[in-house]
């Protein structure tokens, strides 16, 4: 099942609205997915919502609130056709407007978006020559890949796919099991040079920054966390290109404690990881490392890593829009 942790760590804007003798708190804390197409439903988490209120996207584009799917803590709104990236503005029927602390279609601090900023190594391309998501191919033939589930529709042009069996413990041998951005152009793949992955935020304390990305995992191909996903930011000059041995690591294992599985129940979801969570050594989970030195962090790796045990599982994770942005 899905984990709620990543969608609940951001503290939203707060506004006290007087209604008779009572005060209620209005907050916009996070979105189920920050990238939603025009005409689709966006889900916002917070408090104090009402179907009688209004919500505006960038450039004063009004969203249509879906009354049947809205309550005090969940706001469902149809994204207007001309919606642009930016903060959302909530207008209570009685009270002053309040802005979200998160950004809709947040396009700041992009590391990999598989379009303008491609990955340089690994992964599987889930699009055909016309740019459409590939279909399931029935049967086994030479040079034809049979997928266990149809890749989802894109939410922001192209996305990346990790698909394959992780067999050899603690290795990065299969390109299907990792996605990587290497800044050094000498490594191949279009690295952007010796510039921090934090971009304009390199001078900010890591306590105020987070890594965000979108993920889609179909239920029929649920992630078993055998092994987990490791993420880390390596230095520009790394003998092995990625720099795992000299970088603080975050180990992402979102699987439900009861089922041992993770899937995105309602399509694409936005995952948020504070940079302070990158604090483990490559040698052991028990050894602490860090903090991240943003000035020297130029590479990024998203990789299946660990011990798959005696029953390796097939992995199927779609990801997009890796970015570093302020938490608030």
């Amino acid at each position: 099942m899905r984990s709620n942790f990543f969608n609940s760590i951001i503290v939203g804007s707060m506004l006290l609205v007087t209604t008779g003798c009572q005060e209620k708190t209005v907050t916009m804390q996070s979105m189920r997915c920050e990238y939603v197409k025009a005409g689709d439903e966006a889900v916002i988490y917070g408090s104090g919502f009402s179907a009688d209120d209004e919500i505006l996207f960038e450039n004063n584009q009004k969203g249509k609130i879906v009354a049947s799917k809205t309550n005090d803590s969940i706001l469902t709104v149809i994204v207007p056709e001309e919606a642009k990236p930016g903060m959302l503005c909530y207008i209570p029927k009685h009270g002053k407007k309040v802005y979200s602390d998160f950004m809709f279609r947040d396009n700041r601090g992009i590391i990999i978006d598989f379009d303008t900023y491609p990955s340089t190594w690994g992964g599987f391309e889930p699009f055909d020559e016309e740019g459409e998501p590939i279909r399931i191919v029935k049967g086994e033939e030479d040079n034809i890949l049979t997928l266990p589930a149809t890749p989802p529709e894109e939410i922001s042009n192209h996305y990346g796919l990790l698909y394959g069996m992780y067999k050899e413990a603690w290795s990065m041998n299969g390109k299907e099991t990792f996605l990587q951005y290497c800044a050094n152009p000498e490594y191949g793949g279009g690295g952007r040079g010796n510039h921090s992955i934090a971009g304009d935020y390199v001078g900010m304390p890591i306590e105020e920054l987070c890594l965000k990305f979108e993920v889609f995992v179909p239920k029929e191909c649920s992630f078993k966390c055998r092994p987990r996903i490791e993420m880390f930011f390596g230095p520009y000059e790394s003998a092995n290109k990625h720099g795992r041995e000299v970088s603080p690591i975050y180990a992402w294992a979102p699987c439900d404690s009861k089922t041992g599985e993770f899937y995105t129940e309602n399509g694409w979801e936005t995952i948020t990881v504070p940079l302070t969570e990158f604090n483990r050594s490559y040698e052991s989970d028990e050894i602490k490392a860090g903090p991240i030195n943003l000035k020297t962090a130029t590479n990024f790796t998203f990789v299946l890593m660990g011990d798959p045990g005696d029953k390796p599982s097939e992995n199927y994770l779609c990801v997009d829009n890796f970015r570093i942005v302020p938490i608030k």
Side-chain angles (χ1 to χ4, degrees):
M1 295 293 292
R2 58 169 289 193
S3 170
N4 290 325
F5 169 76
F6 300 100
N7 276 327
S8 62
I9 61 169
I10 300 179
V11 179
S13 301
M14 183 175 292
L15 175 70
L16 293 181
V17 180
T18 302
T19 55
C21 296
Q22 296 180 338
E23 289 184 340
K24 71 173 184 177
T25 301
V26 176
T27 68
M28 282 194 288
Q29 298 174 350
S30 61
M31 294 185 71
R32 176 189 293 163
C33 180
E34 291 183 358
Y35 278 76
V36 182
K37 288 183 175 181
D40 289 348
E41 293 181 353
V43 177
I44 301 165
Y45 301 111
S47 62
F49 299 135
S50 171
D52 296 327
D53 297 335
E54 292 185 357
I55 186 165
L56 300 179
F57 289 72
E58 193 73 12
N59 297 330
N60 293 319
Q61 297 296 310
K62 184 178 179 180
K64 181 180 179 181
I65 294 177
V66 182
S68 62
K69 298 181 180 180
T70 293
N71 56 42
D72 181 80
S73 59
I74 297 177
L75 175 67
T76 302
V77 57
I78 297 176
V79 176
E81 288 297 323
E82 301 301 323
K84 303 295 183 183
M87 291 187 295
L88 305 183
C89 177
Y90 189 85
I91 306 175
K93 193 171 184 178
H94 302 288
K96 296 181 180 180
K97 60 186 177 182
V98 61
Y99 291 92
S100 63
D101 286 333
F102 59 86
M103 292 265 290
F104 172 70
R105 295 180 189 163
D106 197 343
N107 55 9
R108 304 168 296 168
I110 294 290
I111 304 170
I112 306 173
D113 64 4
F114 305 96
D115 298 298
T116 305
Y117 302 110
S119 59
T120 52
W121 297 93
F124 170 76
E125 176 61 48
F127 297 90
D128 61 22
E129 294 180 356
E130 286 72 40
E132 297 295 328
I134 62 173
R135 300 180 179 89
I136 295 178
V137 179
K138 302 297 183 182
E140 295 286 350
E141 300 179 25
D142 292 343
N143 300 319
I144 294 180
L145 177 68
T146 302
L147 294 177
T150 302
E153 290 188 11
E154 51 85 13
I155 50 171
S156 176
N157 297 314
H158 285 185
Y159 54 81
L161 171 62
L162 289 188
Y163 168 68
M165 192 77 71
Y166 184 93
K167 299 178 180 179
E168 186 178 348
W170 302 103
S171 72
M172 292 176 62
N173 292 333
K175 75 178 183 65
E176 300 87 358
T177 60
F178 71 91
L179 286 165
Q180 194 170 57
Y181 167 72
C182 292
N184 194 332
E186 293 182 3
Y187 295 157
R192 303 191 291 272
N194 194 1
H195 305 288
S196 171
I197 42 81
D200 294 338
Y201 307 118
V202 67
M204 290 181 63
I206 62 169
E207 292 80 8
E208 299 177 13
L209 297 170
C210 62
L211 172 74
K212 286 189 178 185
F213 61 96
E214 276 65 53
V215 64
F216 176 93
V217 179
K219 186 175 182 179
E220 61 268 36
C221 301
S222 61
F223 183 42
K224 305 298 192 301
C225 297
R226 298 193 308 268
R228 77 264 181 112
I229 295 285
E230 283 191 358
M231 298 176 238
F232 52 89
F233 306 102
Y236 188 70
E237 296 293 343
S238 299
N240 53 16
K241 297 183 179 179
H242 52 73
R244 180 175 181 267
E245 292 78 8
V246 293
S247 305
I249 293 169
Y250 174 72
W252 185 47
C255 295
D256 184 270
S257 59
K258 293 182 180 180
T259 66
E261 298 180 355
F262 168 80
Y263 59 90
T264 54
E265 193 168 7
N266 298 287
W268 288 90
E269 293 183 8
T270 296
I271 303 299
T272 301
V273 184
L275 292 194
T276 52
E277 294 294 315
F278 289 77
N279 58 12
R280 299 189 181 189
S281 167
Y282 80 100
E283 296 176 299
S284 168
D285 288 347
E286 306 304 319
I287 300 176
K288 296 297 182 181
I292 297 172
N293 183 345
L294 290 178
K295 293 182 179 180
T296 60
T298 67
N299 305 333
F300 174 68
T301 300
F302 181 91
V303 59
L304 287 160
M305 182 65 73
D307 187 352
D310 56 358
K311 294 182 179 180
S313 59
E314 193 171 50
N315 299 282
Y316 189 108
L317 294 94
C318 301
V319 290
D320 203 357
N321 302 315
F322 291 101
R323 58 196 182 274
I324 287 184
V325 295
I327 290 177
K328 182 176 179 179

